[in-house]
């Protein structure tokens, strides 16, 4: 296998990318590889040492992903499933998942070929940053952040016009945060600047931006992706009183046919 | 003012608090076990992130903190949360934890260490790649689920040890001939194997620009568990060769871990091998044995003294490569690592 698209089952976008790559370079050298196939691979030997890194990986169906043969990889992995431990106690399942993640991270980081998005300790398919980090990074990239206030549990609403949301600081975006009414006792409140609904998405693939986004914001989105080390990034935006504001981002967005084509093209460009 | 976050009775936090007290450095100890006593308010806008930390007796503007030492544990593990967890208590504990960590990721202040930087330790072979890029010799490592590959590796390298691939703590164990009989079990989960590297251990603590090394002599495979196997262990302060000291500082800077514990081994033929970097070292254990002022350095760093990367930029003095293996002071004996 020369081009691998690594994904979880049900990732329609990943299947599209694999198909688009196959159209360009031939289906015989492109493979869609599911996370379970990786973690259940009968042969997975990963070497790190003074001489560098080398990995031999053979899947149950006979396909191989040897590090010196791969020319390009698209990573859509979020974790390392451990189906072999499904009936074990939770501690064993968690341990197996962490061990699997550690191996996949080291393997992906060691590959000499382009990997989109690159793996890092914060994510196998690009960094899973928190909301504050995306907003800070976005501000540095020229995207004004949506204003937020995190109030401590039970605190009254701040003065002015604010929208109450369930505060989940580990969330990467305010998109999808539940309304305050669904907050549980003891949870803080995330007060958000009111914006026009619905929020919209700019999908960055390399230097291309998909979505109805103004010229100024497009540059900011590409810069945000660059600063985050992502070739693929969904940037969540909204129209506020101050213009377009950043609400968060997602390094592993849904991919439609156009974005999948662009991603396949990007991988081939990086290989070239 | 510096912020010390964790459980006050835990030695690394307690030692840092005592050092701050002794140095007259204003400090706040955020007691994570006082669930409900602490909360954080944040405001995010074009001006950046600002906010307030509310404690049991008073509140602090976040901009007042020049540095923060982070020894927080997952809220679910706090006894105060209960087992099974009480939902509201857990929600409060998690709110303070998540809010604080979120702020620390973006705070324009010194943080030892940010959670994002600590993540390199999630994967030992990944971290080994980073370590190698900083000029250290790393140990040949095989992570595999193939018994035959392990046997071939053993034929090439001799005695092997195995350990976890991830940051989950595991005891480094020798693959003896008896254990080799169970090698088929690696088919269930890839396991990390390395040659047994002869020599003695040196634990290095980098704190900002300061480097403290402790020599560890024991016959145990994993000195942390020497007491369990009733093996003797000797530890004493150690003076690293300049080149290795500089390399440790460079590694600390590259990993963005201003405070870290670096595990080295000095081989009989004079090589320095680096095993891993601990992003949350229990430095107090070493300080209490060999007396090196690590806590004092931590407080000084959080108060504003130069970091390793700043100092490296400021003084590109072309550090020499003199090899000085000079132990410092007597070797106290201890039984509990």
């Amino acid at each position: 296998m020369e081009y691998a698209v690594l994904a979880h089952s049900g990732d329609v976008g990943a299947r599209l990318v694999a198909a688009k790559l196959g159209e360009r370079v031939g289906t015989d050298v492109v493979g869609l590889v599911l996370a379970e196939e990786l973690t259940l691979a009968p042969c997975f030997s990963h070497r790190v040492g003074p001489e560098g890194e080398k990995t031999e990986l053979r899947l149950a169906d006979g396909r191989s992903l040897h590090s010196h043969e791969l020319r390009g990889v698209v990573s859509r992995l979020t974790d390392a499933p451990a189906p072999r431990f499904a009936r074990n106690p939770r501690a064993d399942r968690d341990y197996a998942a962490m061990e699997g993640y550690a191996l996949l991270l080291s393997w992906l980081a060691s590959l000499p070929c382009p990997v989109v998005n690159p793996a890092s300790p914060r994510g196998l398919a690009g960094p899973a940053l928190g909301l504050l980090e995306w907003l800070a990074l976005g501000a540095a990239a020229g995207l004004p952040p949506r204003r937020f206030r995190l109030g401590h549990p039970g605190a009254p609403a701040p003065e002015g016009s604010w929208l109450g949301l369930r505060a989940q600081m580990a969330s990467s975006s305010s998109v999808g945060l539940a309304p305050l009414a669904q907050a549980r006792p003891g949870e803080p409140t995330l007060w958000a600047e009111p914006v026009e609904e619905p929020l919209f998405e700019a999908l960055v693939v390399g230097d291309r931006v998909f979505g109805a986004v103004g010229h100024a914001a497009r540059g900011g989105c590409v810069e945000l992706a660059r600063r985050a080390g992502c070739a693929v990034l969904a940037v969540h935006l909204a129209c506020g009183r101050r213009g377009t504001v950043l609400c968060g981002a997602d390094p592993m967005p849904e991919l439609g046919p156009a974005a999948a084509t662009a991603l396949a093209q990007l991988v081939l460009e990086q290989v070239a | 003012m510096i912020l010390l976050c964790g459980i006050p009775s835990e030695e690394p936090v307690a030692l840092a608090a005592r050092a701050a007290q002794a140095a007259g450095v204003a400090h706040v100890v955020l007691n994570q076990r006082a669930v409900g006593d602490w909360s954080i308010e944040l405001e995010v806008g074009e001006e950046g992130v600002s906010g307030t930390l509310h404690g049991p007796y008073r509140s602090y503007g976040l901009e007042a903190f020049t540095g923060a030492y982070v020894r927080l544990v997952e809220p679910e593990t706090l006894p105060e949360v209960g087992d099974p967890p009480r939902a509201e208590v857990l929600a409060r504990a998690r709110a303070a934890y998540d809010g604080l960590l979120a702020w620390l990721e973006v705070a324009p202040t010194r943080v030892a260490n940010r959670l994002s930087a600590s993540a390199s330790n999630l994967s030992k072979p990944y971290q080994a790649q980073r370590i190698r890029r900083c000029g250290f010799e790393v140990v040949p490592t095989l992570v595999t689920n193939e018994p035959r590959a392990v046997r071939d590796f053993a034929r090439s390298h001799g005695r092997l040890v195995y350990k976890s691939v991830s940051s989950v703590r595991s005891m480094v164990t020798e693959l003896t001939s008896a254990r080799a009989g169970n090698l088929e079990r690696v088919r269930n989960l890839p396991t990390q194997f390395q040659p047994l590297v002869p020599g003695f251990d040196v634990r290095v603590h980098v704190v900002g620009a300061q480097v403290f090394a402790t020599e560890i002599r024991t016959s145990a495979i994993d000195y942390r568990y020497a007491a369990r196997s009733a093996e003797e262990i000797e530890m004493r302060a150690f003076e690293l060769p300049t080149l290795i000291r500089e390399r440790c500082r460079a590694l600390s800077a590259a990993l963005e871990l201003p405070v870290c514990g670096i595990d080295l081994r000095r081989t009989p033929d004079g090589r320095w091998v680096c095993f891993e970097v601990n992003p949350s070292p229990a430095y107090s254990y070493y300080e209490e044995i060999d007396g090196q002022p690590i806590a004092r350095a931590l407080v000084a760093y959080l108060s504003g003294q130069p970091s390793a990367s700043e100092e490296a930029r400021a003084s590109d003095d072309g550090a020499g490569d003199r090899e000085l293996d000079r132990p410092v002071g007597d070797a106290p004996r201890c039984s509990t690592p």
Side-chain angles (χ1 to χ4, degrees):
Chain A
M1 191 183 305
E2 294 179 15
Y3 297 88
V5 180
L6 315 176
H8 295 277
S9 58
D11 187 340
V12 177
R15 288 185 184 280
L16 283 171
V17 175
K20 297 295 179 188
L21 274 170
E23 287 172 12
R24 297 287 302 274
V25 296
T27 53
D28 54 328
V29 294
V30 177
L32 176 73
V33 181
L34 298 181
E36 288 81 358
E37 292 183 283
L38 290 171
T39 55
L40 292 173
C43 160
F44 202 147
S45 288
H46 175 57
R47 292 163 205 272
V48 175
E51 314 302 325
E53 299 83 33
K54 185 181 174 188
T55 306
E56 293 169 347
L57 174 48
R58 195 181 67 249
L59 306 177
D61 62 8
R63 294 182 296 170
S64 63
L65 293 88
H66 297 326
S67 53
H68 57 285
E69 291 173 357
L70 285 169
R71 302 189 66 195
V73 170
V74 174
S75 175
R76 301 271 295 171
L77 300 174
T78 56
D79 58 0
R84 192 171 271 136
F85 294 83
R87 293 185 180 178
N88 285 58
R90 181 173 177 177
D92 288 352
R93 295 200 308 270
D94 290 349
Y95 177 73
M98 286 190 72
E99 292 285 286
Y101 186 96
L103 174 56
L104 293 181
L105 167 59
S106 185
W107 169 57
L108 287 169
S110 73
L111 290 173
C113 68
V115 179
V116 180
N117 283 325
S120 78
R122 304 199 69 188
L124 297 175
L129 306 185
L131 177 59
L132 256 61
E133 291 172 87
W134 283 120
L135 296 179
L137 210 55
L143 294 171
R146 184 181 186 183
R147 287 186 178 279
F148 289 98
R149 283 186 175 187
L150 177 71
H152 57 81
E159 285 185 15
S161 177
W162 296 90
L163 179 66
L165 299 170
R166 240 185 103 187
Q168 290 164 297
M169 298 311 293
S171 173
S172 64
S173 173
S174 62
V175 174
L177 286 182
L180 184 58
Q182 293 179 22
R184 297 180 184 135
E187 281 186 346
T189 306
L190 188 65
W191 300 100
E193 171 188 358
V195 292
E196 286 179 19
E197 298 282 352
L199 279 60
F200 55 98
E201 178 180 293
L203 180 56
V204 179
V205 181
D207 291 333
R208 299 186 63 182
V209 181
F210 297 88
V213 187
H215 180 73
R218 294 173 92 84
C221 293
V222 172
E223 179 61 14
L224 173 60
R226 192 189 67 76
R227 286 173 182 256
C230 296
V232 177
L233 184 71
V235 183
H236 301 154
L237 302 163
C239 287
R241 290 190 194 123
R242 298 173 292 125
T244 300
V245 290
L246 176 67
C247 301
D250 177 6
M252 220 187 76
E254 299 284 327
L255 298 172
T261 303
L263 179 50
Q265 174 66 28
L266 177 71
V267 171
L268 296 174
E269 285 170 4
Q270 291 196 356
V271 170
Chain B
M1 187 186 303
I2 65 174
L3 178 63
L4 310 174
C5 318
I7 296 171
S9 59
E10 205 227 354
E11 270 306 301
V13 178
L15 214 53
R18 288 203 292 273
Q21 184 76 33
V25 172
H27 61 286
V28 174
V29 180
L30 187 158
N31 179 3
Q32 196 184 7
R33 290 186 65 175
V35 177
D37 280 358
W38 294 91
S39 63
I40 188 166
E41 285 184 298
L42 297 171
E43 183 162 357
V44 188
E46 282 169 76
E47 312 77 24
V49 180
S50 57
T52 307
L53 181 66
H54 298 283
Y57 306 112
R58 57 166 291 196
S59 299
Y60 309 88
L62 294 176
E63 71 286 351
F65 296 111
T66 58
Y69 177 53
V70 187
R71 284 283 292 185
L72 296 169
V73 299
E74 285 287 335
E76 286 79 0
T77 64
L78 293 169
E80 289 71 17
V81 166
D83 184 17
R86 287 171 291 161
E88 183 170 350
V89 179
L90 177 58
R92 286 183 185 277
R94 184 148 282 288
Y97 176 85
D98 287 346
L100 191 62
L101 290 184
W103 169 66
L104 289 169
E105 283 299 325
V106 298
T109 189
R110 293 183 166 189
V111 182
N113 291 312
R114 289 191 169 86
L115 198 61
S116 56
S118 299
S120 73
N121 191 236
L122 287 178
S123 168
K124 289 187 180 82
Y126 168 80
Q127 197 188 54
Q129 296 175 47
R130 303 280 306 268
I131 291 169
R132 186 169 62 83
R133 278 182 224 132
C134 285
F136 270 114
E137 179 178 339
V138 296
V139 191
T141 299
L142 170 68
V143 184
T144 188
N145 59 359
E146 288 185 290
R148 196 185 64 185
V150 182
R151 291 188 198 101
D152 291 345
F153 195 61
R155 268 193 290 277
S156 301
H157 295 283
R159 294 169 68 188
L160 301 184
V161 295
Y162 59 94
K163 57 176 79 165
S164 62
V165 188
S166 69
S167 59
V168 175
R169 193 171 187 185
S170 65
M171 188 163 74
V172 181
T173 306
E174 183 170 2
L175 183 69
T176 57
S177 54
R179 293 192 183 103
N182 294 327
L183 260 184
E184 283 298 313
R185 289 164 69 178
V186 302
R187 291 192 192 280
N188 292 320
L189 192 66
T191 304
Q192 174 165 308
F193 296 88
Q194 291 176 329
L196 182 63
V197 179
F200 63 89
D201 289 299
V202 176
R203 163 52 83 94
V204 178
H205 290 98
V206 178
V207 182
Q210 298 206 49
V211 179
F212 304 93
T214 302
E215 174 189 358
I216 301 149
R217 300 267 185 176
T218 179
S219 55
I221 298 272
D222 186 336
Y223 75 84
R224 300 169 302 172
Y225 297 91
R228 191 177 288 183
S229 51
E231 312 228 29
E232 285 211 341
I233 179 169
E234 291 181 8
M235 299 170 70
R236 58 186 167 186
F238 185 83
E239 189 166 317
L240 285 170
T242 307
L243 177 68
I244 300 303
R245 192 168 61 239
E246 290 308 315
R247 218 169 259 171
C248 288
R249 294 165 81 180
L251 183 56
S252 159
L255 295 178
E256 298 179 66
L257 294 171
V259 174
C260 59
I262 301 175
D263 289 324
L264 303 179
R265 187 162 292 167
R266 173 71 158 164
T267 66
D269 59 357
R271 293 176 296 124
W272 286 93
V273 176
C274 182
F275 287 96
E276 64 178 295
V277 183
N278 186 328
S280 186
Y283 71 87
S284 49
Y285 167 67
Y286 303 86
E287 174 162 343
E288 284 164 1
I289 290 172
D290 68 16
Q292 297 190 85
I294 305 174
R296 195 167 73 197
L298 172 63
V299 167
Y301 169 72
L302 297 175
S303 307
Q305 282 190 3
S307 67
S309 53
E310 289 164 349
E311 188 137 301
R313 280 198 299 271
S315 63
D316 183 13
D317 57 1
D321 55 0
R322 290 177 300 128
E323 297 278 318
L324 295 170
D325 289 357
R326 186 164 58 81
V328 181
D330 295 325
R333 286 169 184 271
C334 55
S335 57
T336 312

